[in-house]
Amino acid sequence: MSTEPTTSPKRPSSASAQSSSSRLRGDLIGGLVAAVVALPLALAFGVQSGLGAEAGLYGAIGAGIVAALFGGTPTQVTGPTGPMTVVSATVVSLAIAEAGSVESALGIILLTFAVGGVLQIVFGVLGVAKYVRYFPYPVVSGFMSGVGLIIVVLQIWPFLGSDSPSSTLEVITRIGEPLSNIDPAAVGIGLFTVAAFYLLPKVTTIIPPALGALLAGTIAAVVADLDVPVIGDIPQGLPTLQIGEMLTVDPSMWLLVVEYGLILAILGSIDSLLTSVIADNITRTKHDSNRELIGQGLGNLAAALIGGLPGAGATKGTVVNIDAGGTTRLSGTFHGVLLLVMLLGAGSLVSVVPLAVLAGILIPIGFAIVDTKGLKHLRDVPRADAIVLVTVLLITVFGDLIIAVGTGLVMACVLFMKKLADLGEERAVLVPLSDDGTALSDTALQTIGDHVHLKRVYGPLFFGVVARFRELSEQLPEDARVLIIDLTEVPSIDQSGLYAIEDVVLDLEQSGVEVHLVGLGDQPLDMLKDTELVGALIAPDEVHPTLNDAVAAIGAATDTNEGALSS
């Protein structure tokens, strides 16, 4: 609150003006860099969707501007993403199968995208955002890894110089066709693009890898006069409204529209909120989850109305926006406006981009989406988590995306209920008591010494409770220096719990709080050691069998430090 007198208006001080000017400059530069990063991805995702490069650009423009204006994360940059494009491509494929051509199916496709946006708005109004965080990690990991592999697999044919089927199963079963018809020029320029994508960051960090690879591959193809498939002409001028196309959809298609609109809404919400959390961690701010869903829904509705792909919070674009100085929603808005300027002024240049170059960009991006951390720990996490992850991944790649997520959720719930039954139902619902016999909440913090606090956890640390566990850093007082986490009453942890412990320890240690673990049982301790959390992140001397051992070790360390200071 301002402490200046209000009797007469005053001009802002030079410091305030400078601060405002600095923020504006940061937002403009952040939006510019985000637009440069988004351009090649929008083109590539548009082509992959089956609607053409212009659909990717229209989606980045419509969703980018509107979501930035109305969303709940000031630094969020929105546009087509890998997961959303994979679902969109499925919608395009199914609609064409029903209608016969892209032109005839356009109303079905765009209405599906619009319904997805409307459902996101409904999610935000109803406050559904708080439930998204309860999705089990293996389900999200398996789905995201499957999406990454789909992107890679669908680029194999364009990389070899052929038009790709829309089904991953067809790509693999009919792989003999492109192999017997390989276009050496397409393969060569594709390999050159992949090399540029990976090597450019070693030379300079000024140019984003995707943009550098796009420019390098396209220029090389043009200079060498290669006869390879290209994007081709894209419509010039401002996008036109497509409401008429949506109004002509036959009622027999409404089930498909609602079904895939729902999966787009759910996936877009998860994707965006995860990016919002990343933005919060970088900027040390707190986003408004429900407002973010409303903004994303309005953005996707706007994108659909002008014939664009639906999008979500783009992690790469958001991070580079923040790194370049973006601090307010003006940065995301400027990113979309700048893409519109690029469309109007450079549309003819885009037409010469080879499809093999886009494939060379999407293959590394697809591999980057794969959750290597989750896959690397498959042997170390509980078998049930590993089975869920692999099952969701395989169904995602070779089956139906909705069935993949639904199957994963059902399996996770059933396996968890079995785990609770094996542990004994009565143990899972016990209310712990404090020393004086009063009920003690498992979220309560106890102070056990100067700047030393104790957190007791009761029952399995699994995906259903990790959201509350992650709030530890918010519960600690500002003067906290040491936190002891007592896990004596935790019989088991799953993969979500494992990474929740990792996140909490990292967050607290970055804030200068030392973390000690107490009473680890066999299964939790084995998991922490197998995944090297104990050893790499948590020092062995910060793991103690009992609370008394932890207090004694902390006291000894404090005495040693005070003695060193006094000497």
Side-chain angles (χ1 to χ4, degrees):
M1 180 179 294
S2 174
T3 57
E4 293 184 356
T6 58
T7 54
S8 62
K10 291 189 176 183
R11 296 178 64 183
S13 66
S14 59
S16 299
Q18 184 178 8
S19 175
S20 177
S21 174
S22 176
R23 283 197 299 271
L24 177 60
R25 183 170 58 253
D27 286 337
L28 294 178
I29 295 175
L32 172 62
V33 175
V36 169
V37 170
L39 176 62
L41 300 184
L43 295 173
F45 287 140
V47 171
Q48 181 177 332
S49 72
L51 290 180
E54 66 274 14
L57 279 176
Y58 294 166
I61 293 166
I65 294 174
V66 176
L69 289 173
F70 298 100
T73 312
T75 54
Q76 183 98 292
V77 171
T78 298
T81 63
M84 294 293 278
T85 301
V86 168
V87 179
S88 300
T90 301
V91 173
V92 173
S93 177
L94 292 173
I96 291 176
E98 292 290 340
S101 67
V102 174
E103 292 74 18
S104 301
L106 190 59
I108 302 171
I109 297 166
L110 297 181
L111 183 60
T112 304
F113 296 166
V115 167
V118 171
L119 289 175
Q120 280 187 290
I121 297 172
V122 173
F123 290 170
V125 172
L126 296 179
V128 173
K130 61 180 177 288
Y131 297 108
V132 172
R133 60 184 178 172
Y134 292 113
F135 270 63
Y137 185 89
V139 176
V140 177
S141 175
F143 184 81
M144 295 301 287
S145 294
V147 164
L149 291 177
I150 289 174
I151 291 174
V152 173
V153 170
L154 291 181
Q155 300 314 305
I156 294 176
W157 284 46
F159 195 87
L160 298 175
S162 300
D163 291 332
S164 177
S166 58
S167 162
T168 52
L169 196 58
E170 281 190 85
V171 168
I172 295 173
T173 55
R174 294 170 48 195
I175 192 64
E177 296 177 31
L179 288 177
S180 61
N181 231 346
I182 293 178
D183 184 341
V187 174
I189 203 64
L191 289 173
F192 178 77
T193 303
V194 172
F197 186 97
Y198 284 116
L199 295 177
L200 186 63
K202 300 180 184 298
V203 178
T204 177
T205 57
I206 297 176
I207 303 175
L211 179 65
L214 177 74
L215 293 174
T218 303
I219 292 172
V222 171
V223 171
D225 195 22
L226 299 181
D227 183 17
V228 292
V230 297
I231 288 179
D233 294 335
I234 64 174
Q236 300 294 305
L238 293 171
T240 57
L241 289 177
Q242 303 289 335
I243 299 176
E245 296 286 349
M246 300 184 198
L247 296 177
T248 62
V249 175
D250 190 278
S252 63
M253 294 289 100
W254 288 355
L255 179 60
L256 182 148
V257 166
V258 173
E259 181 182 4
Y260 278 88
L262 178 61
I263 195 66
L264 282 170
I266 294 173
L267 179 57
S269 300
I270 295 173
D271 208 357
S272 298
L273 293 180
L274 288 176
T275 303
S276 295
V277 171
I278 293 172
D280 286 350
N281 290 337
I282 298 174
T283 60
R284 295 297 177 185
T285 57
K286 185 73 173 177
H287 72 278
D288 184 333
S289 297
N290 292 320
R291 178 175 174 176
E292 183 60 37
L293 293 191
I294 293 172
Q296 290 291 328
L298 289 171
N300 284 331
L301 180 58
L305 290 174
I306 60 174
L309 290 181
T315 302
K316 182 67 174 176
T318 300
V319 171
V320 299
N321 174 38
I322 296 170
D323 288 344
T327 57
T328 74
R329 59 187 72 254
L330 176 62
S331 57
T333 306
F334 183 63
H335 139 268
V337 171
L338 189 58
L339 285 173
L340 177 59
V341 173
M342 292 179 183
L343 171 67
L344 297 177
S348 59
L349 298 178
V350 170
S351 63
V352 301
V353 176
L355 298 181
V357 168
L358 295 183
I361 294 172
L362 285 177
I363 287 174
I365 289 174
F367 280 123
I369 293 174
V370 174
D371 180 23
T372 53
K373 180 170 77 170
L375 294 176
K376 182 177 67 175
H377 291 156
L378 275 179
R379 292 185 177 181
D380 305 317
V381 301
R383 182 175 297 179
D385 288 339
I387 291 173
V388 171
L389 193 157
V390 172
T391 301
V392 173
L393 188 155
L394 292 175
I395 297 177
T396 299
V397 174
F398 298 109
D400 185 279
L401 300 174
I402 299 177
I403 293 176
V405 174
T407 301
L409 288 174
V410 171
M411 288 180 65
C413 292
V414 171
L415 290 170
F416 170 69
M417 288 188 286
K418 180 181 183 303
K419 184 186 297 183
L420 282 185
D422 292 342
L423 292 172
E425 186 173 323
E426 70 287 349
R427 186 171 188 178
V429 297
L430 281 177
V431 177
L433 300 178
S434 63
D435 294 337
D436 61 2
T438 59
L440 179 65
S441 168
D442 64 345
T443 62
L445 275 170
Q446 293 175 280
T447 301
I448 61 174
D450 291 339
H451 312 301
V452 179
H453 300 271
L454 171 67
K455 160 73 176 183
R456 286 192 171 99
V457 183
Y458 297 88
L461 189 58
F462 70 104
F463 66 84
V465 300
V466 295
R468 185 170 53 186
F469 181 81
R470 291 177 191 271
E471 297 171 356
L472 262 178
S473 57
E474 300 175 6
Q475 298 174 6
L476 282 177
E478 292 183 0
D479 65 346
R481 294 293 176 267
V482 179
L483 175 65
I484 301 172
I485 303 177
D486 188 349
L487 301 169
T488 305
E489 296 299 321
V490 177
S492 67
I493 61 177
D494 67 2
Q495 194 171 9
S496 301
L498 173 72
Y499 296 143
I501 292 176
E502 179 185 25
D503 291 343
V504 166
V505 172
L506 281 171
D507 192 33
L508 291 175
E509 289 189 349
Q510 287 175 358
S511 303
V513 178
E514 183 178 317
V515 180
H516 290 254
L517 303 183
V518 167
L520 282 167
D522 291 339
Q523 191 268 350
L525 182 59
D526 288 342
M527 273 192 68
L528 290 171
K529 286 183 176 179
D530 290 341
T531 56
E532 298 182 346
L533 289 188
V534 170
L537 177 61
I538 305 168
D541 59 3
E542 294 175 340
V543 179
H544 312 278
T546 67
L547 179 59
N548 288 337
D549 292 324
V551 173
I554 293 167
T558 302
D559 292 340
T560 301
N561 292 335
E562 291 178 350
L565 289 172
S566 62
S567 62

